[in-house]
Amino acid sequence: MNERFKNRTGEALKAADLSHHLHPFTDHGALADEGGPRVITHGEGVYLWDTEGRRILDGMGGLWCVNIGYGRKELGEVAHRQMDKLAFYNTFFKTSHEPVIELSERLAGLTPEGINDFFFANSGSEANDTALRLVRGYWAAQGRPERQVIISRKFAYHGSTVAGASLCGLPSMHDVPSLPIPGVVHADGPYAWHAGRDQHDPVYGADAADAVEAKILEIGAENVAAFIGEPVMGAGGVITPPPGYWTRVQEICRKHDILLIVDEVICGFGRTGKWFGSQTYDIQPDLMCMAKGMSSGYQPISAVGVGARIADALRRTPGVLSHGFTYSGHPVAAAVALENIDIIEREGIVDHVREKVGPSMRTQLGALTAHPLVGEVRGIGGMWALELTADKATRAPFDPLGSVATKVRNLCFERGLVTRAVREGLVFSPPLIITEAQIEEMAEILTGCLDDVATAL
Ligand code: PXG
C-alpha cells in the first residue's frame, strides 16, 4: 500500500481524471460518457486490481511489457539503492556511470552476434527516432547522402513521435497533416489473413518478401537507407511472418546494400521464446531497437543496439554525434533493467515461454479456431491474436469494422480479462511468467465472452 495515494475513493479519482488528464490513444468524449477510466490500483503476478476491488487477469502485460509480472520487490529495492547512491547523472559530455556501463556490457552478451554497442533512450519511439537518424547519418558520412528513404511496412507500429508515427503503417497514425515525414514509405506487410493467403505457406513467405523488393525498385535502391520491421508485428495485430519471409527479406537487403533495422520493442526480452525475435527468426540486424521488456515496464528505458558496420563508422567519423536525451542511460532505469534481466535469466523465463507459454497458448487459443466467430488464430511464444470474421470462407470483417472485437474486448474486461481489440482481432501478450493454469483461465473467460457475443449477434 502506497500511503501517498490512499485517501481517495474510486469515484473521486475518476472525476479528477476526467477533469485534468488527457490520455494517449483515447476518445475523450466516449471516456466521459462511460463515466471515466477504470482506475488500476495494484498488481501482483499476472493480476491487476481496480478501485472497485475487482481482480483482472492482465492478458496484455501492461502494454506488451510487464514480462516478469507485477509486484517484484527486488526492482523497487534496486531503484531505491540507486536513487540513494546516484539518482541521476547524464552520459553526454565524456561522463558515464556504473549502471549504464554494466547494462551495455550485459546487452552485448544477450543480443545477436555483431550487436555490441548500445545507445540509450526512454521509449520505443525514441529508439526508432535514433535509428532513423543513425542510418541517415551513416550514409551521409559515407558520401551517399541521397540514401535517405526508410522502407517500413503497412500494419507496422513503430511509435508515436513524429518519426515513429511516420514509420507506422497504420493510417490512423498519419491523420494529422505532414505525416508521414518525407523519406518514409510503406511496403505491403506479410499479413496472410488480410491478403487471402495461408500464414503457413512458404510461397506466401517469398511473395510477401518480394513486396519489399518491389518497393526498393520503385524508389531506386540508390535512394534507400534502410528497411525497418518488427520480427512479429505487434500492435498491428500480432502478424507473424510466413515461413522464409525473414530469410528472403535479408537476402534482398544485402543484395541492394540496404541497412536492416529490427524493431524488437515488443519481441525483445523473451516474448517470442528466445531473448530476441531476431534469434527466433535468424535475423542479423544492423540496428536493433528495444524497450518495454527491457525493464518489464518498471522504469522507462530503451536502447538501440548498433552493429559493427555503423558503430565502427561512428567511431571513425570525426566530430560530435549531436543526438541524445537528458535521460539517455538513466542510472535508476539502467539499474532496474539489469535486475529485470537477472530475474529473466535466474527464473529461466525465456525457456518457460518457449516450452510452456507458447505451446499452451497455441493449444488453448488454437482450439477457438472452431468457434463460429473466429477465422484464424496465430502467434508465437507469449504473443497471440484471434482474427474474428463474419464469414470464414470470404474472411469478411464485421460491419462496422471492429465492432464485434470491441464488444468481446469490453465483455472480457468486465469479466476480469484484459485483451486489446485490433481491427477485427483480439490480441494477447500476458506477462511471460503466466502459468498453464492461468492461460486456461484466460481461455475460459475469452470463450465465454465469444459465446455470449455470438449469441447476441
Ligand atoms: N515499436 C514497437 C514495435 C512498439 O510496439 C513502439 C515501438 C513505441 O514504443 P513507445 O515506448 O514509444 O510507446 C511500440 C509501442 C497498442 C500499443 O495499442 C502498442 C505500443 C504502444 C502503444 C499502444 O498495442 N507499442
Side-chain angles (χ1 to χ4, degrees):
M1 175 64 73
N2 188 340
E3 297 297 311
R4 176 82 174 72
F5 299 116
K6 78 171 189 201
N7 284 326
R8 301 179 78 179
T9 64
E11 287 317 305
L13 286 165
K14 280 180 203 195
D17 185 283
L18 282 175
S19 303
H20 299 293
H21 180 197
L22 294 175
H23 293 248
F25 290 92
T26 294
D27 174 338
H28 287 87
L31 183 68
D33 291 345
E34 287 161 25
R38 181 179 287 234
V39 180
I40 305 297
T41 53
H42 60 290
E44 187 63 44
V46 299
Y47 297 104
L48 297 164
W49 281 263
D50 67 11
T51 44
E52 272 128 71
R54 283 183 296 196
R55 188 184 85 158
I56 312 154
L57 199 166
D58 186 5
M60 283 306 297
L63 201 47
W64 318 81
C65 57
V66 185
N67 290 9
I68 62 170
Y70 297 94
R72 298 286 198 145
K73 302 285 177 283
E74 308 93 303
L75 273 67
E77 284 155 14
V78 160
H80 188 171
R81 284 201 298 275
Q82 186 56 43
M83 279 187 199
D84 282 351
K85 190 174 180 203
L86 180 69
F88 175 70
Y89 199 70
N90 74 71
T91 51
F92 277 45
F93 312 115
K94 302 184 181 173
T95 57
S96 198
H97 49 69
E98 292 156 299
V100 78
I101 293 168
E102 203 175 304
L103 180 58
S104 307
E105 211 173 43
R106 194 65 178 282
L107 290 171
L110 295 174
T111 48
E113 225 185 286
I115 300 284
N116 287 311
D117 289 279
F118 298 86
F119 189 99
F120 292 93
N122 311 286
S123 67
S125 302
E126 289 173 355
N128 285 325
D129 277 47
T130 300
L132 184 144
R133 202 151 163 181
L134 287 176
V135 294
R136 287 184 174 171
Y138 168 82
W139 285 115
Q142 306 312 301
R144 303 291 306 278
E146 70 285 1
R147 274 203 182 253
Q148 283 201 16
V149 177
I150 318 287
I151 298 181
S152 179
R153 299 175 296 175
K154 293 179 184 152
F155 303 107
Y157 188 85
H158 296 297
S160 201
T161 51
V162 168
S166 297
L167 293 167
C168 289
L170 302 164
S172 59
M173 296 302 292
H174 302 153
D175 67 355
V176 295
S178 302
L179 288 185
I181 56 170
V184 176
V185 300
H186 301 85
D188 281 337
Y191 190 1
W193 173 262
H194 191 259
R197 303 286 295 268
D198 171 3
Q199 59 166 322
H200 302 297
D201 178 7
V203 177
Y204 178 59
D207 290 349
D210 288 347
V212 174
E213 185 160 43
K215 191 51 95 178
I216 293 170
L217 297 175
E218 181 192 319
I219 305 291
E222 69 283 6
N223 300 313
V224 178
F227 170 78
I228 183 168
E230 303 152 81
V232 178
M233 289 169 143
V238 187
I239 300 168
T240 43
Y245 176 80
W246 274 111
T247 307
R248 187 137 167 164
V249 164
Q250 291 185 90
E251 282 165 12
I252 291 165
C253 287
R254 268 185 227 115
K255 178 164 112 191
H256 296 288
D257 198 19
I258 286 166
L259 297 166
L260 176 57
I261 307 168
V262 175
D263 183 343
E264 294 266 8
V265 167
I266 285 179
C267 293
F269 300 92
R271 182 63 54 193
T272 68
K274 298 255 176 95
W275 275 93
F276 292 93
S278 292
Q279 291 148 341
T280 298
Y281 294 104
D282 202 9
I283 308 171
Q284 280 90 42
D286 291 293
L287 291 170
M288 215 171 126
C289 300
M290 59 194 84
K292 296 192 188 268
M294 188 170 170
S295 66
S296 286
Y298 279 68
Q299 283 283 288
I301 184 165
S302 68
V304 183
V306 182
R309 183 170 173 185
I310 294 173
D312 291 350
L314 264 175
R315 291 195 169 102
R316 276 198 317 268
T317 308
V320 172
L321 171 67
S322 295
H323 178 74
F325 308 96
T326 300
Y327 299 135
S328 285
H330 192 288
V332 177
V336 167
L338 276 165
E339 185 68 20
N340 169 62
I341 291 168
D342 277 353
I343 290 174
I344 297 177
E345 224 163 52
R346 193 164 66 230
E347 299 183 4
I349 292 174
V350 179
D351 292 342
H352 174 68
V353 174
R354 203 177 48 254
E355 289 160 14
K356 297 275 164 48
V357 177
S360 172
M361 287 185 79
R362 183 178 298 284
T363 308
Q364 297 288 331
L365 298 182
L368 287 166
T369 312
H371 194 281
L373 293 183
V374 178
E376 177 177 277
V377 176
R378 56 175 182 266
I380 183 167
M383 57 193 298
W384 290 81
L386 260 61
E387 193 82 52
L388 307 187
T389 181
D391 182 337
K392 291 192 190 224
T394 63
R395 303 187 177 186
F398 290 94
D399 184 26
L401 178 72
S403 51
V404 174
T406 303
K407 276 192 189 121
V408 178
R409 180 263 174 206
N410 290 345
L411 194 56
C412 282
F413 223 120
E414 270 171 41
R415 295 186 184 170
L417 170 66
V418 184
T419 164
R420 243 193 38 60
V422 177
R423 285 184 304 283
E424 207 60 89
L426 292 163
V427 295
F428 297 88
S429 172
L432 299 179
I433 50 150
I434 193 166
T435 64
E436 288 164 291
Q438 289 163 339
I439 293 170
E440 242 174 82
E441 182 189 339
M442 203 168 88
E444 251 174 55
I445 300 174
L446 174 63
T447 307
C449 295
L450 284 166
D451 287 346
D452 292 354
V453 169
T455 309
L457 279 181

